Amino acid sequence: MLIRDLMRDLVKQVGSGLSFQVTNIRPKLSNNEEYLQEMDRVLAAEAKTLRLTDFKLDHVFANTAAGIVESTLNLKRTSEDEAIVVKWEFELHKLILVPGALEKVLSKLKELRPEIMVIVEQEANHNSPDILDRLAQSFPYYSSVFDSIEKDTTEHDIENKVSWEMDFRRQITNVVAREDIQHAERHETQAWWRDQLRRSGFHPVRQWFNHTRGFLFSDLTQYTIEGKNGCPLLRRYTVPLVITSAWKPELAQSDGGEQSHSILCFS
């Protein structure tokens, strides 16, 4: 769990006794909230182990692009010495089709001055106005995704297999067939995102990673992690799947002294 790992890293760097708040902005996928309760339990236990003070975890549901924009615009700093980390996990692309939505969100996040913003997105071009072009571009990508779910799922993750399949089926429909801007999904490549973020006042942060294979895939040789413009790109055989990039606002500065820490998660 990325949030848990980040909590551990911050404690290693700064020490225990930190004030820590996580705001998780995500779609509501089901009325069954057991998965959220498990997240709450795991992170609360980790906060206690790490001796974090004033630990808070808030879930904010946003099922449409408008909901994501509204939730983001309502975010505020709790104090000037607050250290903020923003993580977008397969959510930022949902703003591509809505006029002005991406610009509003990035402007608000620049105003919040996060220490770092991490973006995880599909490395694919599924944004052609021509449905046949989108279908042609989507076929090899999702063929590899479903082949991965079918053949590469470990025993540990088998219980999530059905959920993954349902989510990707929904995604294919939204990418290929839907045109309404609030629910349709379009994906762009890292080069497109890099241009958008730089024009919005963010600059890339160098990342360190294994260029051959990540530890999660040490026994699955069909996966490789390679560098693309300084960002880790996950491939399955020859098909690029996911790329992660890290960014900071151009004017972000780190103040000295004690800090509280917030993680804003869009997943």
Side-chain angles (χ1 to χ4, degrees):
M1 192 181 294
L2 187 145
I3 300 174
R4 181 179 57 194
D5 293 340
L6 183 56
M7 290 163 61
R8 292 173 178 174
D9 288 342
L10 284 172
V11 169
K12 286 181 181 178
Q13 296 176 37
V14 183
S16 60
L18 301 174
S19 175
F20 213 92
Q21 177 173 331
V22 178
T23 302
N24 188 24
I25 301 176
R26 61 183 303 138
K28 190 168 187 177
L29 303 177
S30 170
N31 289 328
N32 185 346
E33 299 183 358
E34 289 183 4
Y35 66 103
L36 295 178
Q37 293 170 0
E38 177 63 13
M39 178 188 293
D40 294 352
R41 186 192 66 78
V42 170
L43 293 180
E46 188 68 27
K48 185 176 182 180
T49 299
L50 296 173
R51 290 185 292 172
L52 298 175
T53 63
D54 194 25
F55 177 77
K56 296 178 182 178
L57 174 58
D58 295 327
H59 296 289
V60 179
F61 295 107
N63 279 37
T64 65
I68 295 173
V69 173
E70 181 182 3
S71 299
T72 305
L73 295 182
N74 286 333
L75 294 172
K76 296 180 180 179
R77 279 183 167 270
T78 60
S79 64
E80 278 303 309
D81 62 355
E82 182 178 26
I84 295 177
V85 174
V86 178
K87 177 180 73 75
W88 289 95
E89 188 173 346
F90 306 114
E91 286 292 299
L92 197 57
H93 70 267
K94 295 179 181 178
L95 306 180
I96 290 176
L97 290 181
V98 183
L102 185 59
E103 291 79 5
K104 287 180 181 178
V105 164
L106 292 178
S107 176
K108 175 63 177 183
L109 293 176
K110 184 180 178 183
E111 175 188 316
L112 285 176
R113 305 189 314 278
E115 269 56 37
I116 192 167
M117 179 168 70
V118 178
I119 299 175
V120 183
E121 280 290 349
Q122 291 90 339
E123 177 61 3
N125 182 359
H126 300 152
N127 195 24
S128 171
D130 189 328
I131 187 173
L132 294 180
D133 285 346
R134 293 203 304 275
L135 181 62
Q137 292 287 340
S138 300
F139 183 77
Y141 184 90
Y142 287 106
S143 293
S144 183
V145 167
F146 278 100
D147 199 40
S148 171
I149 293 174
E150 183 64 29
K151 296 179 180 178
D152 306 339
T153 304
T154 64
E155 292 184 4
H156 176 72
D157 290 326
I158 198 69
E159 61 187 46
N160 295 321
K161 181 178 178 179
V162 174
S163 297
W164 290 340
E165 289 177 341
M166 290 177 61
D167 188 59
F168 279 116
R169 288 194 185 104
R170 174 200 57 78
Q171 192 176 115
I172 290 173
T173 301
N174 291 352
V175 167
V176 175
R178 297 192 74 153
E179 299 292 344
D180 59 297
I181 61 175
Q182 283 300 325
H183 295 91
E185 294 188 40
R186 300 293 184 263
H187 303 139
E188 284 285 1
T189 62
Q190 192 256 357
W192 186 91
W193 284 111
R194 187 173 67 248
D195 180 62
Q196 295 294 315
L197 287 155
R198 282 178 167 164
R199 287 197 285 116
S200 297
F202 288 82
H203 66 84
V205 176
R206 183 177 178 84
Q207 300 171 81
W208 297 96
F209 55 92
N210 188 322
H211 284 255
T212 55
R213 188 174 301 129
F215 71 93
L216 291 176
F217 307 101
S218 58
D219 58 344
L220 299 174
T221 57
Q222 63 270 40
Y223 293 96
T224 56
I225 295 178
E226 62 184 56
K228 181 175 181 180
N229 297 319
C231 300
L233 168 67
L234 174 66
R235 288 183 181 271
R236 185 176 186 272
Y237 295 118
T238 61
V239 179
L241 296 178
V242 176
I243 195 163
T244 300
S245 57
W247 302 85
K248 291 186 71 170
E250 296 287 357
L251 300 179
Q253 295 181 351
S254 178
D255 298 325
E258 296 292 328
Q259 287 186 317
S260 59
H261 293 76
S262 293
I263 303 178
L264 310 177
C265 297
F266 301 80
S267 58

